[in-house]
Amino acid sequence: MKLEVDIEKSFPDFKLKVAFSVGKDTMGILGSSGAGKSMTLRCIAGLERPSCGYIALNDRVLFDSQKNINVPSRNRKISLLFQHYALFPHMTVRENVEFGLQGLPENEKKARVSEKLSMVELTGFEYRYPHQLSGGQKQRVALARALAGNPDALLLDEPFSALDSYLRNNMEKQLIKSLSEYHGVSIVVTHNLEEAYSICHNLVILDRGKKITEGYKENVFQYPPTLAAAQLTGCKNLSKAKKAGENAIEAIEWGCILKTRQAMPEGLSYVGIRSHHLDFLKDNSRENTFLCHVIKTKEMQHITTVYIEIDKNCLSRQLLQVELLKEKWDRIKDSSSPLFIHLDPEKLFLTCE
Amino acid sequence: MSVPMDFSPLWISLITAITATFITFFLGLGAAHFMYTYHGRMKVWIDGILILPMVLPPTVIGFVLLVLLGKNGPVGQLLWKLGITIIFSWPAAVIASTIVAFPMMYKTSLAALEQIDKDILDAARTLGSSEWRIFWKIAVPLSWPGIVAGTILSFARAIGEFGATLMIAGNIPGKTQTIPMAIYFAVEGGEIKRGLIWVAMIIAIALMAVLGLRVWSKNRLSVFYCMGDK
């Protein structure tokens, strides 16, 4: 099982250039809107023709601009799950799921439909029409329909963006289960970090049509190589930085000198740390620990975000955001001793522009 | 009334309009499908030519057809060699009605096709469907209300056709004389009463077509419209 993609697509004001390969583990494409995520999927599915490049699935060449190969969508055996489900509104659930099964004998069709509907827990809904279903049910029908023909690859375009958060959670669980039972290549496109992290194994990050990083999700989140990658992976604490010694950097916007463990990258320009990796301490006996002042706090259901500053005199001051459990913050804020912030050198990452 | 009423214009009108509507249904739908999938540079031009019969005076259509199909015209000569004369025959009336009704069918069904959510068609493509199957199984059912409206408009236009028909089919009683023709010549001959009967008849037919559409749409379209989710 292997999907290889190396394509370019040019528009008057936008250029998409991506290359990656996907194996048996689910791949996530993460990027802000307009980064070219959906376009990438549409090219793989054969709904758009890339300007040039190469697409191959399990050694079957689907697109090759040099050899002038462009297999039409209907022969690619690639299913695409659309953001707004794209169910056929004039057909019943059963007819929808059956649509991609032409050529199979009637009894086999029937068996396949009931198998897929039971997979998405919609047995008994065969004769409903899409307008009689809820959003989550529609999405599940769409998933059953996409998987009914046993495609070689399954592409999911923002699968949960039209669902509310409760349904999203349920659907996520169901999708993870379905994907684990599915033996083809799968790609999920999303702009939602948690979604990408919980569903996918590997990640590709796209920014303005270009791939900026790819790899195992933990590594991508731990060491985003560029500022854009750091922002797209949800890092809220980023400061301009410059070298200040052998294993030290100056975080210009936080106003402190920090020890680091990571090798100094070529063209270092930013340092970052995730808000849940910051820790409050009672003294500064450990390295990278600084006296800090609380500027404001923001309370969520279970998490409190504390905005702090380290050096009041820092010119281009940027507040650090610390996220911690509400109970923990309640304990800390009641003690009268001065507060110190610890920036774990293991958790700091250095990136380029 | 001195001369007994001859009802042949009614039958000729109905049969001509039904035949023309039948032909224009497929021609218009085919043209709409072609234009829906065609994205070339000529799109604006082709579209302009296809709706020309709607914006030109019917006499111009009649003139062009006369030149094409007449004994000295390119098509007419070819048919002449095969022993067929089109001009001043019933088929000429059908041709004239088909051409003036065509833009109604074409424009209305194209507008209906363009309303379809593109993702739905793309979904069908990724599920292994041929373009032909997608058109008949997805696109036509989903734009059915618009296609029916286009068909009824085409019928209305075809049954009311006068100018082009008069020019290429003439006014031959029992052969090419349709109701609009009968009205014109009745009034011209001073037979106002006879004209009035035909006017009443054509109003009745037009009303039936429009009311039929309403009743049909109440029973069918309401179900249809609530199916479209998004």
Side-chain angles (χ1 to χ4, degrees):
Chain A
M1 249 169 297
K2 196 175 182 196
L3 173 70
E4 274 178 273
V5 179
D6 183 355
I7 49 168
E8 268 185 64
K9 184 155 175 73
S10 306
F11 297 93
D13 51 353
F14 180 76
K15 191 174 170 192
L16 175 71
K17 186 175 177 1
V18 281
F20 55 84
S21 78
V22 192
K24 67 179 200 322
D25 297 315
T26 302
M27 157 85 94
I29 301 180
L30 194 61
S32 48
S33 49
K37 298 168 297 187
S38 297
M39 185 51 72
T40 307
L41 286 197
R42 293 178 62 82
C43 286
I44 298 171
L47 299 171
E48 297 281 344
R49 191 196 165 97
S51 311
C52 63
Y54 178 85
I55 301 170
L57 177 59
N58 303 338
D59 302 319
R60 206 153 51 91
V61 178
L62 301 179
F63 179 78
D64 190 336
S65 54
Q66 274 174 359
K67 291 186 190 140
N68 214 10
I69 299 173
N70 186 23
V71 176
S73 196
R74 63 174 175 275
N75 297 332
R76 290 198 178 193
K77 288 199 69 142
I78 295 180
S79 278
L80 179 54
L81 202 70
F82 292 82
Q83 205 170 341
H84 295 283
Y85 329 119
L87 294 178
F88 309 129
H90 59 303
M91 294 186 186
T92 61
V93 166
R94 191 202 141 120
E95 289 167 326
N96 263 281
V97 178
E98 222 176 46
F99 191 81
L101 301 176
Q102 313 158 256
L104 282 186
E106 227 22 73
N107 55 344
E108 211 166 305
K109 264 193 203 174
K110 217 170 178 175
R112 194 77 73 81
V113 171
S114 13
E115 176 206 332
K116 296 298 170 194
L117 284 182
S118 86
M119 177 196 83
V120 296
E121 292 164 25
L122 281 177
T123 306
F125 284 73
E126 282 86 348
Y127 298 101
R128 301 271 186 103
Y129 280 94
H131 73 271
Q132 297 168 316
L133 302 176
S134 71
Q137 290 168 337
K138 282 183 206 170
Q139 182 67 291
R140 275 141 68 191
V141 174
L143 184 64
R145 184 180 68 175
L147 288 173
N150 293 334
D152 290 342
L154 176 66
L155 314 176
L156 301 102
D157 189 1
E158 301 275 5
F160 310 125
S161 64
L163 301 175
D164 60 50
S165 59
Y166 171 74
L167 276 176
R168 186 183 279 249
N169 220 320
N170 276 355
M171 273 303 295
E172 216 172 274
K173 269 185 240 157
Q174 182 145 37
L175 184 67
I176 292 169
K177 185 173 146 260
S178 303
L179 286 178
S180 69
E181 290 160 7
Y182 171 63
H183 297 295
V185 169
S186 49
I187 303 181
V188 179
V189 149
T190 178
H191 66 272
N192 183 309
L193 293 172
E194 285 96 48
E195 218 168 273
Y197 199 87
S198 60
I199 300 169
C200 310
H201 187 267
N202 295 315
L203 287 177
V204 165
I205 296 186
L206 282 187
D207 183 40
R208 276 165 291 169
K210 274 209 287 289
K211 181 180 85 177
I212 46 183
T213 184
E214 102 175 272
Y216 178 52
K217 63 182 172 188
E218 299 244 359
N219 296 340
V220 169
F221 273 78
Q222 182 65 58
Y223 298 110
T226 66
L227 179 63
Q231 286 166 337
L232 283 169
T233 53
C235 183
K236 289 169 189 142
N237 296 313
L238 290 157
S239 160
K240 283 207 178 87
K242 65 177 186 220
K243 202 171 167 190
E246 189 57 29
N247 282 315
I249 52 135
E250 183 189 350
I252 298 163
E253 284 161 305
W254 299 336
C256 56
I257 307 280
L258 295 166
K259 291 269 189 317
T260 66
R261 300 275 190 274
Q262 198 188 337
M264 209 66 70
E266 199 73 33
L268 159 79
S269 53
Y270 280 88
V271 61
I273 188 161
R274 291 181 193 278
S275 48
H276 59 273
H277 285 149
L278 288 166
D279 205 7
F280 287 114
L281 297 178
K282 287 206 164 65
D283 54 56
N284 62 349
S285 55
R286 297 171 67 181
E287 61 180 351
N288 283 358
T289 308
F290 306 94
L291 186 66
C292 66
H293 309 278
V294 175
I295 306 298
K296 57 180 175 183
T297 59
K298 190 174 86 186
E299 304 223 336
M300 307 260 273
Q301 220 174 345
H302 307 294
I303 304 276
T304 301
T305 307
V306 185
Y307 295 81
I308 57 163
E309 69 176 359
I310 294 172
D311 181 0
K312 247 186 267 184
N313 303 321
C314 179
L315 283 174
S316 48
R317 180 187 70 148
Q318 265 222 355
L319 299 181
L320 278 158
Q321 299 182 31
V322 187
E323 275 177 16
L324 68 175
L325 283 175
K326 213 169 173 178
E327 297 86 56
K328 198 174 169 194
W329 173 242
D330 287 341
R331 275 202 305 278
I332 293 170
K333 77 174 177 198
D334 291 338
S335 72
S336 52
S337 52
L339 213 50
F340 292 90
I341 189 72
H342 175 56
L343 293 85
D344 188 347
E346 301 284 349
K347 299 288 181 0
L348 279 177
F349 57 82
L350 307 173
T351 76
C352 312
E353 190 77 57
Chain B
M1 219 179 292
S2 49
V3 191
M5 190 80 182
D6 170 21
F7 279 101
S8 71
L10 172 63
W11 310 124
I12 292 169
S13 267
L14 282 177
I15 292 168
T16 309
I18 287 169
T19 313
T21 308
F22 182 78
I23 298 170
T24 221
F25 176 87
F26 291 100
L27 285 184
L29 201 54
H33 180 234
F34 171 77
M35 289 302 279
Y36 181 59
T37 49
Y38 176 77
H39 299 288
R41 239 174 286 160
M42 299 294 286
K43 190 170 174 107
V44 181
W45 287 98
I46 299 175
D47 184 68
I49 291 166
L50 291 178
I51 59 167
L52 220 45
M54 193 161 72
V55 293
L56 288 175
T59 43
V60 174
I61 312 288
F63 185 87
V64 171
L65 285 177
L66 207 52
V67 169
L68 280 177
L69 302 174
K71 257 181 216 158
N72 301 317
V75 183
Q77 238 167 20
L78 200 77
L79 292 172
W80 176 256
K81 277 179 194 148
L82 297 168
I84 304 166
T85 325
I86 291 270
I87 298 298
F88 299 121
S89 69
W90 181 71
V94 173
I95 291 171
S97 292
T98 303
I99 286 177
V100 294
F102 171 82
M104 305 285 170
M105 188 64 204
Y106 158 67
K107 262 295 173 196
T108 319
S109 41
L110 179 60
L113 286 174
E114 279 169 346
Q115 289 293 311
I116 301 174
D117 179 2
K118 298 266 190 303
D119 281 352
I120 289 180
L121 303 177
D122 281 342
R125 288 188 184 104
T126 62
L127 292 170
S129 248
S130 65
E131 291 298 318
W132 182 255
R133 182 163 178 251
I134 292 171
F135 183 68
W136 288 109
K137 288 269 181 173
I138 311 278
V140 168
L142 288 184
S143 47
W144 194 238
I147 291 172
V148 170
T151 310
I152 287 174
L153 284 176
S154 300
F155 177 77
R157 183 68 190 84
I159 206 162
E161 167 48 26
F162 177 75
T165 311
L166 180 63
M167 283 182 77
I168 65 163
N171 175 41
I172 307 164
K175 215 171 141 199
T176 65
Q177 190 186 56
T178 57
I179 298 178
M181 222 72 80
I183 294 170
Y184 180 79
F185 287 99
V187 173
E188 207 185 37
E191 295 177 89
I192 299 298
K193 236 183 188 170
R194 190 185 285 264
L196 207 60
I197 292 170
W198 287 123
V199 166
M201 203 161 315
I202 206 146
I203 287 175
I205 294 171
L207 267 180
M208 272 196 300
V210 176
L211 291 181
L213 176 67
R214 273 194 78 98
V215 171
W216 181 84
S217 62
K218 251 205 183 128
N219 296 339
R220 287 290 313 277
L221 296 186
S222 56
V223 179
F224 221 94
Y225 282 131
C226 76
M227 274 185 199
D229 60 326
K230 244 203 106 166

